[in-house]
Amino acid sequence: MMRNSELLASLSNCINHCNYCADACLEEENVKEMIDCIRTDRVCASVCAATADVLATNYPAEVLVGYCQEICERCAEECKSHEAEHCQKCARACEECARACEKFFA
């Protein structure tokens, strides 16, 4: 489990940013333009949470970590396409989490 502590921290940070971003997107005036961002944030947070749950056990999680990396990269791209500060911060958290997932395989 200790080997996963950095990844678990990144997953937690990503979950928090995605949940905050999705909620903040609902407050945007152009909320209809934020639909894909909200959906991607929610999926990313869910996948990160599931990944963290499995990593907290000794059960093999390689496939899940690989999928998590893919979703984090997708969410980062989506968030980067919006100017809102919460989206930019979320993109950075997702990129950091994707890198942590990649390190898991090193």
Side-chain angles (χ1 to χ4, degrees):
M1 169 125 167
M2 290 314 291
R3 122 175 217 261
N4 298 329
S5 59
E6 184 184 337
L7 178 52
L8 287 167
S10 288
L11 289 164
S12 178
N13 187 50
C14 192
I15 292 164
N16 292 337
H17 276 87
C18 285
N19 285 329
Y20 180 80
C21 185
D23 189 63
C25 283
L26 293 171
E27 301 290 327
E28 295 289 332
E29 281 184 34
N30 59 340
V31 70
K32 280 195 189 301
E33 293 171 28
M34 307 306 282
I35 290 172
D36 287 342
C37 192
I38 295 165
R39 284 190 179 131
T40 308
D41 282 337
R42 291 182 66 210
V43 168
C44 191
S46 294
V47 171
C48 286
T51 303
D53 287 348
V54 175
L55 282 175
T57 71
N58 288 322
Y59 204 81
E62 286 76 12
V63 173
L64 191 52
V65 173
Y67 183 65
C68 187
Q69 179 181 349
E70 183 185 315
I71 294 298
C72 286
E73 288 169 354
R74 196 176 302 170
C75 193
E77 286 307 306
E78 176 60 38
C79 285
K80 269 196 232 175
S81 74
H82 302 286
E83 288 179 20
E85 186 181 357
H86 57 84
C87 289
Q88 294 300 314
K89 286 182 176 178
C90 187
R92 287 192 290 278
C94 289
E95 286 172 337
E96 177 191 304
C97 195
R99 283 192 300 273
C101 287
E102 197 173 346
K103 274 191 197 172
F104 175 83
F105 296 104

